[in-house]
Amino acid sequence: MSKETAALEAVDLGMTYGRRSGHVLRGCTFRLPTGSVCALVGPNGAGKSTLFAVAAGLRRPTEGTVRLLGSAPGEHRERIAYVAQNKPLYPQLTVADTLRLGAELNPDRWDQTAAERIAYGGGADPGAAIRKLSGGQRTRVALALAFGKRPELMLLDEPMADLDPLARHQLTGALMAQAAEHGTTIVMSSHVVAELESCCDHVLLLGSGSIRLAGTCDGILSAHSRLTGTGTDFAPHTVIEERGSGRGRTALVRPYGEPDTGVWAVEQPSLEEIFLAHLRNPGAPALFTGRAAPAPSQEAAI
């Protein structure tokens, strides 16, 4: 596969669930490079699970196109692993039987050692039925199927939601090792932004079904500043959010040139601050940075 081929790419992607439901996704355009670890972030109802389902080939988009590893969804299922938010498994099977099923369905790529390391790391009994496992143990088994498949692209919808902090730390480390050792592209969603910020190098921020931010974490951070001072005019900078701060004003801005440090105290905001500001202010212009940006003809100005 060419290095120029995107791991996940969408152009004007839209999705509705009926004429009266309105758009769940609208005009989503982005390009995620291979080998990246991407955080898909957004509030409940923003369209994250729908985007995963469309990318995995489980739902057909109403508008636009999406491609995985250079192909349409569903064309190369053996190269892709998808773990849905509800972690669907066969409840009557044992843990060992579930891993055996994974091996039978993926005979050319299966890594039994990797699957067992993930599945049994939480103390699950190989002979225990899936329906008798705790939520965290079921999550481990679902992730074990994804790891055992040795995919080129992993789509993980809230993969750590049922896990305790120690298990989240361990499995995050396993995901990072997977990306580093095998060049696996990982796209995962979570509401714990600090958790994603520590391990991801790319971001897709969804708000009301549209892409608000897309690009590298470093690119998004460098494109924003927090200005604090007693002035009232933030021009020529693009203001994302403004609020009172003591006797002065504070604003999250996209700087146009270097801010005047004689007027403003300039600080670097966190990714979480940037995400929240864009979500609270849907009228702020979207931002695409780095290699996750659309093609030049579709790219928004920074």
Side-chain angles (χ1 to χ4, degrees), residues 144-165:
L145 293 176
F147 274 86
K149 194 175 183 179
R150 279 286 180 249
E152 296 173 43
L153 172 63
M154 299 177 76
L155 304 172
L156 308 177
D157 192 0
E158 295 281 353
M160 311 293 184
D162 295 325
L163 300 173
D164 61 66

Side-chain angles (χ1 to χ4, degrees), residues 49-198:
S49 293
T50 297
L51 179 57
F52 275 125
V54 170
L58 301 181
R59 294 190 178 276
R60 187 186 298 269
T62 309
E63 304 160 2
T65 60
V66 61
R67 297 182 68 80
L68 285 78
L69 304 171
S71 303
E75 288 190 10
H76 298 292
R77 295 188 185 277
E78 73 281 358
R79 299 164 64 190
I80 299 163
Y82 169 50
V83 178
Q85 190 172 2
N86 61 345
K87 318 294 190 304
L89 297 167
Y90 291 105
Q92 72 276 17
L93 294 183
T94 66
V95 178
D97 288 339
T98 300
L99 298 190
R100 190 175 301 114
L101 177 62
E104 292 176 358
L105 293 174
N106 301 277
D108 298 327
R109 307 175 68 94
W110 187 253
D111 187 333
Q112 183 69 16
T113 300
E116 290 182 349
R117 183 171 63 248
I118 301 299
Y120 301 138
D125 181 350
I130 296 296
R131 64 174 176 269
K132 295 185 177 180
L133 299 180
S134 68
Q137 289 173 329
R138 286 195 298 271
T139 292
R140 278 185 170 274
V141 175
L143 288 171
L145 293 176
F147 274 86
K149 194 175 183 179
R150 279 286 180 249
E152 296 173 43
L153 172 63
M154 299 177 76
L155 304 172
L156 308 177
D157 192 0
E158 295 281 353
M160 311 293 184
D162 295 325
L163 300 173
D164 61 66
L166 178 59
R168 288 203 302 269
H169 178 75
Q170 292 172 340
L171 287 172
T172 298
L175 286 169
M176 296 306 98
Q178 175 83 4
E181 294 173 16
H182 303 281
T184 307
T185 304
I186 298 171
V187 185
M188 59 180 175
S189 64
S190 174
H191 289 295
V192 185
V193 175
E195 184 177 76
L196 295 173
E197 188 172 357
S198 66

Side-chain angles (χ1 to χ4, degrees), residues 219-268:
I220 290 171
L221 284 169
S222 64
H224 293 83
S225 294
R226 188 194 312 113
L227 305 184
T228 303
T230 57
T232 58
D233 184 6
F234 290 96
H237 314 299
T238 300
V239 177
I240 306 301
E241 184 176 55
E242 181 182 353
R243 63 182 186 275
S245 177
R247 296 182 179 180
R249 304 293 295 170
T250 292
L252 180 75
V253 305
R254 295 233 296 270
Y256 183 80
E258 292 294 328
D260 186 348
T261 55
V263 177
W264 304 107
V266 183
E267 298 175 287
Q268 175 66 66

